[in-house]
């Protein structure tokens, strides 16, 4: 019999790619989603897997809905991805960020401990936890380097990371922290800088927009390709012993380099003509530089990034170009008509209207 997996945050970028990977591997996939006024299943529709997932309504700050999700899914593996994941917004909503990300993780761990303690658990930790350490360390960051968070988001994730380690040691549970550096794709949310750039540059090249408004373009990030990173998550849960791993590319590039490369993909050299620096888009604190050392994942998991910076930008810009060209031809995207698709399997203890 195939394995069963529960993915929290299945409607997000990583959740969608991971669901596709697990379905291809023969898993029975259950995914939690939150009830919002406009349903958000476009990524799963985009990947053509909406009819292959069992959906369970679940709000991360509500333990009863997590308990119900685990009872329904009876998972062998739990991938806890749901989070308030936008660093900038965590300065505006620090308390909600801590509730969703830290309390939410405590809820997952405690519910697994009580209901299915043998399930393996993946916790979505992040390079953002290193924060200011990036100034001080003159080499790519390693798992054992220390953390100096610079945002409420980073603090919320660092607390979640430690909860994961505590549950692993105190209760002998299989819990891993994936310390993932930034990973992007055409399914990235539009508020993150890479997709904001690829989308706007595609529009500019088609005459649909005139400017690209950005904040701190000197910040550097280690950007990888999301489908490869979800494969790394899966590998982390296939080991004999639980451990924490960094996934990264080992290269850092600035936001400015991303902009220049994106304009290069559409054949525009005078990129400065279109870029407006807007002070309102600067964060109160911003991590200046992140570069990760993935040698532990390479050695123990056999994981290695394939898609590097230039190709990543090309993939994203070309996909946004295709979308807007189709739009100009009158085609509409799934998210233009965001209905609950009739073929969705929604499992809930409460009868739906
Ligand atoms: P994402 O696209 O923002 O997806 C976040 C998911 O969490 C969405 O499904 C979202 O639901 C759900 N969610 C948010 N608040 C919730 C709540 N209160 N209750 C229930 N569900 C909620 O993020 P991602 O890029 O896929 O990242 C996945 C995880 O990895 C996150 O934990 C993120 O912090 C972490 N991470 C990401 C990166 C990266 O570069 N992508 C790097 C390191 C770590 P809606 O669709 O309804 O909004
Ligand atoms: N979002 C955004 N929008 N960022 C901008 C902009 C803008 O207009 N202009 C400049 N930036 C800069 C930000 O200040 C930051 O230094 C950098 O671009 C990257 O910002 P994001 O794309 O929002 O990503 P992030 O690095 O803050 O966070 C992402 O990666 C983390 C891992 O390091 C998210 O996916 C987090 O969830 C993840 O943990």
């Amino acid at each position: 019999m195939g394995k069963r997996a529960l993915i929290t945050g299945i409607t997000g970028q990583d959740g969608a790619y991971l669901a596709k990977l697990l379905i291809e591997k023969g898993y029975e996939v259950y995914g939690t989603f939150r009830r919002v006024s406009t349903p958000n299943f476009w990524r799963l529709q985009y990947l053509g897997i909406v009819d292959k997932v069992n959906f369970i309504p679940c709000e991360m700050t509500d333990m009863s809905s997590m308990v119900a999700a685990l009872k329904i899914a009876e998972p062998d593996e739990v991938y806890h991805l749901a989070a308030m994941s936008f660093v900038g917004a965590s300065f505006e909503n620090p308390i909600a960020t801590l509730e969703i990300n830290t309390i939410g993780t405590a809820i997952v761990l405690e519910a697994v401990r009580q209901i299915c303690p043998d399930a393996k658990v993946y916790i979505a930790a992040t390079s953002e936890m290193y924060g200011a350490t990036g100034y001080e360390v003159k080499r790519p960051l390693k798992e054992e380097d220390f953390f100096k968070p610079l945002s409420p988001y980073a603090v919320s994730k660092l607390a979640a990371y430690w909860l994961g380690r505590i549950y692993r040691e105190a209760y002998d549970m299989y819990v891993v922290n994936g310390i993932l550096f930034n990973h992007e794709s055409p399914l990235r949310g539009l508020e993150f800088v890479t997709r904001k750039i690829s989308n706007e540059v595609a529009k500019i090249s088609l005459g649909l927009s005139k400017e690209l408004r950005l904040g701190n373009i000197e910040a550097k990030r280690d950007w990888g390709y999301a489908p490869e990173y979800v494969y790394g998550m899966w590998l982390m849960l296939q080991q004999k012993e639980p451990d924490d791993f960094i996934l990264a590319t080992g290269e850092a590039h600035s936001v400015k380099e991303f902009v220049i490369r994106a304009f290069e993909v559409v054949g525009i050299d005078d990129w400065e003509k279109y870029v407006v620096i807007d002070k309102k888009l600067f964060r109160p604190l911003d991590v200046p530089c992140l570069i990760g050392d993935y040698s532990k994942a390479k050695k123990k998991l056999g994981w290695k990034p394939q898609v590097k910076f230039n190709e990543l930008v090309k993939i994203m810009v070309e996909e946004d170009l295709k979308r807007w060209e189709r739009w100009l031809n009158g085609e509409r995207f799934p998210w233009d008509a965001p209905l609950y698709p009739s073929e969705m399997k929604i499992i809930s203890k409460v009868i739906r209207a």
Side-chain angles (χ1 to χ4, degrees), residues 99-245:
E99 281 172 353
I100 297 167
N101 297 0
T102 310
I103 306 288
T105 302
I107 285 174
V108 171
L109 288 166
E110 192 49 31
V112 169
R113 187 180 78 83
Q114 291 182 22
I115 292 162
C116 48
D118 292 332
K120 294 180 169 183
V121 182
Y122 173 90
I123 306 279
T126 165
S127 51
E128 183 73 14
M129 299 186 310
Y130 291 109
T133 308
Y135 284 121
E136 291 150 16
V137 180
K138 298 284 175 250
R139 50 161 174 75
L141 292 153
K142 289 175 176 284
E143 285 82 357
E144 58 273 19
D145 280 324
F146 75 92
F147 304 111
K148 262 194 179 177
L150 284 181
S151 62
Y153 169 81
V155 170
S156 74
K157 284 287 185 172
L158 187 51
Y161 160 93
W162 278 112
L163 282 168
R165 292 188 62 154
I166 286 164
Y167 271 68
R168 180 163 79 210
E169 287 172 32
Y171 306 117
D172 212 15
M173 284 166 58
Y174 192 114
V175 180
V176 307
N177 283 297
I179 308 174
L180 272 50
F181 284 61
N182 299 47
H183 44 281
E184 318 293 316
S185 75
L187 298 188
R188 190 55 145 150
L190 279 167
E191 72 271 56
F192 297 95
V193 80
T194 55
R195 181 78 204 296
K196 181 176 180 180
I197 296 168
S198 65
N199 185 55
E200 219 50 48
V201 167
K203 286 169 74 180
I204 288 170
S205 82
L206 295 170
L208 295 168
S209 169
K210 288 196 169 54
E211 67 172 36
L212 170 58
R213 197 165 274 271
L214 292 169
N216 175 16
I217 62 171
E218 302 306 329
K220 289 185 171 177
R221 291 290 183 273
D222 180 329
W223 278 301
Y225 186 42
E228 297 178 352
Y229 285 54
V230 301
Y231 175 59
M233 293 175 188
W234 176 77
L235 285 174
M236 287 180 213
L237 292 199
Q238 311 313 309
Q239 307 308 304
K240 267 211 170 98
E241 299 296 332
D243 202 349
D244 302 333
F245 292 94

Side-chain angles (χ1 to χ4, degrees), residues 36-79:
V36 284
S37 56
T38 307
N40 174 29
F41 297 107
W42 71 270
R43 295 183 174 93
L44 299 157
Q45 289 174 278
Y46 206 83
L47 296 177
I49 53 170
V50 87
D51 59 336
K52 298 185 176 67
V53 172
N54 303 288
F55 293 96
I56 308 173
C58 178
E59 164 55 49
M60 280 322 304
T61 54
D62 182 313
M63 180 142 176
S64 64
S65 61
M66 178 49 59
V67 165
L70 290 172
K71 286 186 175 166
I72 291 166
E74 298 178 25
D76 301 296
E77 296 172 9
V78 177
Y79 295 86

